[in-house]
Amino acid sequence: MEEIKDLDVIEELLETKQYTRLRQKLSDINIADIAIILEELEEEELLKTFRILPKSMAADVFSYLEVENQQYIITSLSDREAANIINNLMADDATDFLEEMPANIVKKLLSHASADTRRDINHLLRYPESSAGSIMTVEYVDLKENMTVEDAIQRIRQIGVDSETINICYVLDPKRTLVGTVALRYLLISPPDAVIADIMHENVIYLNTLMDQEEVARQFQKYDFTSMPVADNEGRLVGIITVDDVVDILQEEATEDIEKMAAIVPSDRPYMKTGIFETSKKRIPWLLLLMISATFTGSIITSFENALSAVPMLTVFIPMLMSTSGNAGGQVSATIIRGLSSNEIGYRDIFKIIWKELRVAIICGVTLAAAYFVKLMLFDKSGIDVAVVICLTIISAVSIAKVVGCTLPIFAKRVGIDPAVMASPFISTVLDALTLMIYFSIATQVLHLS
Amino acid sequence: MEEIKDLDVIEELLETKQYTRLRQKLSDINIADIAIILEELEEEELLKTFRILPKSMAADVFSYLEVENQQYIITSLSDREAANIINNLMADDATDFLEEMPANIVKKLLSHASADTRRDINHLLRYPESSAGSIMTVEYVDLKENMTVEDAIQRIRQIGVDSETINICYVLDPKRTLVGTVALRYLLISPPDAVIADIMHENVIYLNTLMDQEEVARQFQKYDFTSMPVADNEGRLVGIITVDDVVDILQEEATEDIEKMAAIVPSDRPYMKTGIFETSKKRIPWLLLLMISATFTGSIITSFENALSAVPMLTVFIPMLMSTSGNAGGQVSATIIRGLSSNEIGYRDIFKIIWKELRVAIICGVTLAAAYFVKLMLFDKSGIDVAVVICLTIISAVSIAKVVGCTLPIFAKRVGIDPAVMASPFISTVLDALTLMIYFSIATQVLHLS
């Protein structure tokens, strides 16, 4: 709400060309909020306001903007202005931004950026997407073991004090191997002549540059650190990752899981920014595949045409049975997929899980069958033989559903397929066919059809 | 892997009763890893090892353990030992733990805890579950405006330097209203006689004690802070929240969404720790409700018995049509639910979304229909009239599915129902019925049935 009020004020100041007051107003607003306000402005007003921003804020605000607006701004600025923004961005933000830009713009921007910036960015651009290397920042404070606290504070002043990444300082040996960490708070309360080697914390836990971002997030969750160092295969410090990046990773991964579980090809772009063709392209492959698979379910019905024409009322229960087994299977698979992705569950647990799900299936199946039996007897006045067929099918279908629902995601992970694909839409299609086969074989047996 | 090696060593040291070496070994291992190792031990060994832990580590290790093990340890320790653990826990960890304990144990533990601890914990226990107040910690550094940097450093030494929560210090006026913040790094590089009021950062953004944890997480994502202050309705500082708690909230909320979307009553407990009756209890309500709803779908089939016996092959396509519309609807609803929960989408967007989904539906529907038409003509050699019925049904059903799939979650949120409930299982059940009605009316028209 606050932002809307600010937006009105800013639009008025822009219209009435009161640029000095505008600049003043902007410096009172938090950077993230300014970005939100800028997103609401027309392109020209956006550019005008961005240029008015105090220099010290411009790069930070820039890093919060949507890619489309970043691209618009950077191409509208002069080369020097643009290079200035790039130089002032944190290296990891600059890399994120450059990864989204066309190659010719990247080249032009980098050619104007300072040598330091260029080196940092090139360094990050070399790591595979979603690896620890690609999300780390190379801006951190490195100390030497033989420095005193006073030397260390001198070094911090020199490197710059604006970044949140200096709450932990990293102690390196001459080969740049990480030998310890010192929290800023210990520097603060230690005597100026204390030696770093004596106050540093050894046994540092670090990440590898090639570690996948999902694993990075898991390490942060495990250790509750606010930042972790990233080292290369030789143990040399190359960057650090801060917990605010981890928050973004977790959201991204959860969204990706949910999309895959809903039979959508996952996408990086937010829904409202994706065009209708791109949206359709993400949805059609699975719809098509599942549609073709569901055709087999139809042909199972055909092959039992005789049973159905002998007892036509059997058709009525088909949707209920398919839906129940699909839902029962979907419940387990969602639970297992989530457990696998948070590493709570592993392949080693498979027998424990099947045994648990079998017992849960009996409880669920019998409860549902009993409820449906009452409904059949009271409202449908169906024959006891049909009721027996339906109840036996419910119990068997729920049992199969629970077992399939827990084994498929675990096996998928085992053979390197993303388990999230084994969620409800896929599982339901498999279970529809299985349920019908169970249904018709029980019906054939109990009702003596042939 | 590291942990398994450590586990072997520790088990051997325990067996051979080399307690001094065990204690030494433990102090080399990271706290989170010790917790993982302890979880693997038998209860008695667990207790023995826990008691051997250096005092300074015991409370921290304790906070990483599973609730069951915490309860076991705390009831096995003497009252004094137990009170010692509670006193050394961070207040928010202690509160989390006490919330899980039976009331009589809580009472006993609190009676032995120090007055300070008791006050902090009672304070936190008073806030509603999942509110900012209940997850905040009350351990932070508060400064006064007229303090010098030297006074401030003195105050930090006095409050204690072990906590990560002191990277930002909070400046309060005499009424304890939050007037500014000072980053620890500025204290470090400022002259000792500088006055806090001059170096502090004003315009502090704070959370309210009653704010829901989901909103808390959203604020952290928006501002990228590593900690945020929490104030009561009068603007008085009462605690702070650190970003590592936010990581846990985000995981919890995502799991809860996924569970609700799979028609499970969400649960706080990890899957492997939940008994089969509890698991069943979380699953049966929705299964039952959806089973009963699916019965209506069955009765739609009955009411079109005549059409089906006139053209028996119409039955074959029922599973494919129901599954396709269910999947199409599930795709949209999952996307919309995720968008709503990350606040990307709101009620205001409803017409834009419907318009987008209608166009996506036409693209998806026509593509699927075309593919199925080819299949019908080439493989099934069905009549052109049946093919027309199927293709028209696919297009209409996908369109209805996309519109229902996007409107239901948005309306649900509008009237205060959790949108996650409007995911695939529920949507599919609604769509099954709608699809069959569309199918049979198109069939009746095109094939001139009555």
Side-chain angles (χ1 to χ4, degrees), chain A residues 3 28 30 32-33 36 64 153 156-157 161-164 166-167 184-189 203 205 221-226 243-244 247-248 250-251 254-255 258 261-264 270-272 274-277 279-280 283-284 286-288 290-292 294-295 297-299 301-302 305 312 315-316 319-320 322-324 327-328 330-332 334-336 338 344-345 349 352-353 356-357 359-360 363-364 367-368 371-372 375 394 402 424-425 429 432, chain B residues 3 28 30 32-33 36 64 153 156-157 161-164 166-167 184-189 203 205 221-226 243-244 247-248 250-251 254-255 258 261-264 270-272 274-277 279-280 283-284 286-288 290-292 294-295 297-299 301-302 305 312 315-316 319-320 322-324 327-328 330-332 334-336 338 344-345 349 352-353 356-357 359-360 363-364 367-368 371-372 375 394 402 424-425 429:
Chain A
E3 296 116 34
D28 282 350
N30 178 283
D33 289 324
I36 292 173
Y64 280 92
I153 293 176
I156 290 171
R157 278 182 206 267
V161 79
D162 249 348
S163 132
E164 292 214 16
I166 66 166
N167 288 328
L184 200 65
R185 51 185 185 273
Y186 288 108
L187 288 182
L188 190 74
I189 59 163
N203 290 316
I205 290 168
Q221 281 185 279
K222 179 173 158 194
Y223 294 112
D224 276 350
F225 289 142
T226 52
V243 68
D244 53 299
V247 169
D248 297 339
L250 285 174
Q251 286 296 81
T255 303
I258 288 176
M261 290 170 76
I264 308 172
Y271 172 74
M272 298 297 284
T274 317
I276 55 166
F277 287 101
T279 305
S280 307
R283 293 187 186 166
I284 289 176
W286 274 104
L287 284 182
L288 208 55
L290 294 169
M291 181 177 80
I292 301 297
T295 301
T297 317
S299 53
I301 297 187
T302 327
E305 231 165 324
T315 317
V316 184
M320 182 278 289
M322 294 199 319
S323 137
T324 301
N327 291 333
Q331 288 180 328
V332 204
T335 309
I336 300 296
R338 188 69 187 156
E344 188 213 332
I345 294 174
D349 301 316
K352 234 193 288 177
I353 292 174
K356 174 175 172 171
E357 286 302 336
R359 287 174 299 159
V360 170
I363 300 175
C364 292
T367 312
L368 294 183
Y372 213 80
K375 177 195 172 291
I394 291 178
K402 294 288 183 199
S424 183
T429 307
D432 282 351
Chain B
E3 295 116 33
D28 282 348
N30 176 284
D33 289 325
I36 292 173
Y64 280 92
I153 293 175
I156 291 171
R157 277 183 205 269
V161 80
D162 250 348
S163 132
E164 292 213 17
I166 67 163
N167 288 329
L184 200 65
R185 52 187 185 272
Y186 288 109
L187 288 180
L188 190 73
I189 59 162
N203 290 317
I205 290 168
Q221 281 185 275
K222 179 174 158 191
Y223 293 111
D224 276 350
F225 289 144
T226 52
V243 68
D244 53 299
V247 169
D248 297 338
L250 285 175
Q251 285 298 77
T255 303
I258 288 175
M261 290 169 76
I264 307 172
Y271 172 76
M272 298 298 284
T274 317
I276 55 165
F277 287 101
T279 304
S280 308
R283 293 186 187 169
I284 289 175
W286 275 105
L287 283 181
L288 208 54
L290 294 169
M291 181 177 80
I292 301 297
T295 301
T297 317
S299 53
I301 297 187
T302 328
E305 233 166 319
T315 317
V316 184
M320 180 278 289
M322 293 198 320
S323 134
T324 301
N327 291 333
Q331 289 180 327
V332 203
T335 309
I336 299 295
R338 188 68 186 158
E344 188 213 332
I345 293 174
D349 302 315
K352 232 193 290 178
I353 293 174
K356 175 174 171 169
E357 285 303 336
R359 287 174 298 160
V360 171
I363 300 176
C364 293
T367 312
L368 294 183
Y372 212 79
K375 176 194 172 292
I394 291 179
K402 293 287 181 200
S424 182
T429 308

Side-chain angles (χ1 to χ4, degrees), chain B residues 85-272:
Chain B
I85 298 287
I86 302 284
N87 286 337
N88 283 309
L89 281 174
M90 296 278 283
D92 58 338
D93 288 336
T95 313
D96 284 354
F97 156 67
L98 289 173
E99 270 172 349
E100 301 281 339
M101 295 291 113
N104 58 334
I105 299 187
V106 174
K107 218 172 140 187
K108 206 179 104 188
L109 286 174
L110 279 185
S111 72
H112 287 88
S114 74
D116 275 2
T117 307
R118 220 159 48 226
R119 198 203 50 223
D120 287 353
I121 290 172
N122 274 323
H123 194 61
L124 289 178
L125 283 173
R126 254 187 301 124
Y127 292 103
E129 207 186 337
S130 304
S131 69
S134 76
I135 49 175
M136 71 188 183
T137 175
V138 290
E139 286 155 41
Y140 53 85
V141 179
D142 51 339
L143 305 177
K144 297 203 184 82
E145 288 171 90
N146 55 3
M147 280 180 169
T148 62
V149 167
E150 202 174 357
D151 297 337
I153 293 175
Q154 198 52 42
R155 171 114 184 104
I156 291 171
R157 277 183 205 269
Q158 181 191 333
I159 293 188
V161 80
D162 250 348
S163 132
E164 292 213 17
T165 61
I166 67 163
N167 288 329
I168 304 285
C169 306
Y170 298 90
V171 187
L172 307 181
D173 72 6
K175 284 181 181 152
R176 297 195 65 76
T177 312
L178 188 58
V179 292
T181 59
V182 183
L184 200 65
R185 52 187 185 272
Y186 288 109
L187 288 180
L188 190 73
I189 59 162
S190 299
D193 56 351
V195 176
I196 294 297
D198 297 335
I199 62 168
M200 75 184 183
H201 174 81
E202 290 169 80
N203 290 317
V204 184
I205 290 168
Y206 56 84
L207 309 170
N208 184 281
T209 42
L210 298 179
M211 190 180 260
D212 186 74
Q213 63 174 14
E214 253 185 278
E215 183 55 31
V216 170
R218 233 171 264 139
Q219 295 290 321
F220 268 91
Q221 281 185 275
K222 179 174 158 191
Y223 293 111
D224 276 350
F225 289 144
T226 52
S227 63
M228 286 180 88
V230 184
D232 63 14
N233 288 329
E234 280 81 48
R236 285 185 304 247
L237 184 68
V238 288
I240 66 170
I241 294 178
T242 49
V243 68
D244 53 299
D245 297 316
V246 173
V247 169
D248 297 338
I249 295 171
L250 285 175
Q251 285 298 77
E252 231 175 75
E253 298 285 341
T255 303
E256 217 181 283
D257 269 6
I258 288 175
E259 285 177 338
K260 281 189 199 139
M261 290 169 76
I264 307 172
V265 182
S267 133
D268 287 341
R269 293 159 64 82
Y271 172 76
M272 298 298 284

